[in-house]
């Protein structure tokens, strides 16, 4: 067990579990957003002729398991930190921690994580466990919020807190960058890793409606370094007063990275050996190749 000061510990997982438990009865408030993100993610299934029969839904909150069943996946296990949330997910429910998956190797041929892995402390370790839970040639699909999500809210809260308290504390979860996606998959041993960018353009009637939806989804601040004191009464009014809005409504796009990776198997396409190409890209493009520090090559 890691010590609380371990730099790998960014999130308070016990607090996250409690917030998911409280949010379970109100999850339908944000179902349209979760389902829209799941549809973007599961569209990747149309790119393969492979058919899946044993799927693991990680933190889908009711958005993934029904959609998988509609696509012909017969057996779906839904896990969540929160037992109540797992019970509402739509698959065979199991309360489990994404950081310690309780499954034997090769248990599934499909694993889907829709907007859930951004609360994991050791993401490379979690991805490695997911890959081990996949049968050879099994598919992993995940969507994660990335840098840019909630950015205007992050900025206005920081500015308001600096004004009121002379300093800032983390009030919104840190998000990974798009460029990290494929490297994380490769590090975990996935074959043919792909990281794509996508987004949902969301608009909220008021800033408080945005906060209410985050709470309804169980997405409250669970950063270990958060300030546990009660926020100043003026914090949110001051932050909201500078939040960009149009006719009182607030645009807050959900920027996502879509991760796709396969469990290695014999017969899968392999990348060509470096330097084995028989033709030059410059020739195909009808242009000139310039080597760094060397003469022009025609």
């Amino acid at each position: 067990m890691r010590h609380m000061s371990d730099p790998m510990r960014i999130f308070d997982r016990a607090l996250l579990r409690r917030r998911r438990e409280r949010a379970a009865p109100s999850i339908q408030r944000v179902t349209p957003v979760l389902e829209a993100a799941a549809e973007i993610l599961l569209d990747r299934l149309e790119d393969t002729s492979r058919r899946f029969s044993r799927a693991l839904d990680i933190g889908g909150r009711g958005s993934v398991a029904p959609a998988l069943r509609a696509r012909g996946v017969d057996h779906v296990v839904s896990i969540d930190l929160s037992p109540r949330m797992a019970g509402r997910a739509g698959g065979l429910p199991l309360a489990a921690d994404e950081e310690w998956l309780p499954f034997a190797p090769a248990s599934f041929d499909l694993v889907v994580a829709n907007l859930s892995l951004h609360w994991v402390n050791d993401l490379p370790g979690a991805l490695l466990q997911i890959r081990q839970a996949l049968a050879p040639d099994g598919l992993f699909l995940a969507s994660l919020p990335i840098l840019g999500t909630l950015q205007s809210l992050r900025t206005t809260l920081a500015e308001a807190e600096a004004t009121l308290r002379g300093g800032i504390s983390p009030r919104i979860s840190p998000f990974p960058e798009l460029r990290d996606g494929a490297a994380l998959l490769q590090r975990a041993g996935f074959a043919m890793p792909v990281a794509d960018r996508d987004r949902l353009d969301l608009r909220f009637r008021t800033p408080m409606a945005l906060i209410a939806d985050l709470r309804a989804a169980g997405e409250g601040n669970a950063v270990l370094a958060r300030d546990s004191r009660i926020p100043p009464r003026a914090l949110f009014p001051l932050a909201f007063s500078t939040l960009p809005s149009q006719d009182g409504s607030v645009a807050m796009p959900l920027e996502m990275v879509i991760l796709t990776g396969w469990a290695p198997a014999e017969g899968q396409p392999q990348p060509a050996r470096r330097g084995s190409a028989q033709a030059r890209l410059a020739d195909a493009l009808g242009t000139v190749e310039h080597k760094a520090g060397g003469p022009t090559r025609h």
Side-chain angles (χ1 to χ4, degrees):
M1 181 175 175
R2 291 189 177 96
H3 190 271
M4 288 291 287
S5 62
D6 192 319
M8 289 300 295
R9 287 183 55 85
I10 303 169
F11 305 113
D12 185 337
R13 302 278 294 174
L15 175 60
L16 176 63
R17 180 185 294 108
R18 294 195 298 272
R19 288 188 169 155
R20 287 290 178 93
E21 280 283 285
R22 289 197 297 268
S26 59
I27 195 64
Q28 68 274 6
R29 178 186 176 108
V30 293
T31 293
V33 175
L34 293 173
E35 288 182 344
E39 194 63 29
I40 290 173
L41 179 60
L42 296 179
D43 273 351
R44 271 56 181 184
L45 294 176
E46 307 303 321
D47 298 333
T48 177
S49 59
R50 173 79 186 276
R51 291 297 171 258
F52 305 95
S53 59
R54 297 171 293 130
L56 174 62
D57 159 28
I58 299 178
R61 287 169 282 181
S63 66
V64 171
L68 288 176
R69 286 217 174 93
R71 286 170 165 82
V73 182
D74 297 326
H75 181 72
V76 182
V77 175
S78 294
I79 69 167
D80 200 283
L81 266 178
S82 155
R84 295 177 77 186
M85 196 70 83
R88 291 172 178 264
L92 180 66
L94 178 65
D97 191 333
E98 304 98 323
E99 296 185 344
W100 303 96
L101 292 181
F103 302 110
S107 293
F108 304 97
D109 54 19
L110 175 65
V111 175
V112 179
N114 185 45
L115 299 178
S116 60
L117 294 179
H118 57 291
W119 289 114
V120 170
N121 282 305
D122 181 9
L123 186 53
L127 293 178
L128 176 60
Q129 291 184 64
I130 289 170
R131 199 261 296 162
Q132 291 172 339
L134 278 169
D137 207 32
L139 176 62
F140 171 57
L141 294 174
S143 60
L144 286 86
I146 56 172
L147 199 64
T149 297
L150 299 177
Q151 187 56 47
S152 57
L153 181 62
R154 188 193 305 274
T155 299
T156 57
L157 283 172
E159 291 172 346
E161 189 167 21
T163 298
L164 296 171
R165 282 184 167 167
I168 62 174
S169 61
R171 295 193 174 274
I172 293 177
S173 171
F175 298 127
E177 296 187 53
L178 174 66
R179 65 185 181 187
D180 299 328
L184 284 168
L185 291 173
Q186 280 186 315
R187 180 176 171 184
F190 283 96
M192 297 176 285
V194 177
D196 296 323
R197 189 184 193 113
D198 217 314
R199 65 183 278 164
L200 284 175
D201 290 311
L202 306 177
R203 182 170 290 276
F204 299 85
R205 295 187 307 277
T206 65
M208 279 309 301
L210 164 62
I211 300 300
D213 275 9
L214 289 172
R215 288 174 178 164
E219 295 287 336
N221 185 10
V223 178
L224 277 170
R226 69 191 182 280
D227 190 336
S228 59
R229 296 175 296 173
I230 296 174
R233 180 174 296 181
L235 177 65
F236 288 101
L238 180 57
F240 293 163
S241 69
T242 59
L243 197 62
S245 63
Q246 181 179 357
D247 300 326
S249 65
V250 177
M252 197 66 60
L254 171 56
E255 303 283 355
M256 298 179 292
V257 59
I258 307 297
L259 302 180
T260 306
W262 295 83
E266 291 185 7
Q268 283 177 335
Q270 300 294 321
R273 180 175 53 83
R274 186 177 179 86
S276 62
Q278 300 299 310
R280 294 168 50 234
L281 180 60
D283 294 338
L285 297 177
T287 186
V288 176
E289 177 183 343
H290 297 278
K291 283 192 174 181
T296 299
R297 179 181 175 187
H298 294 281

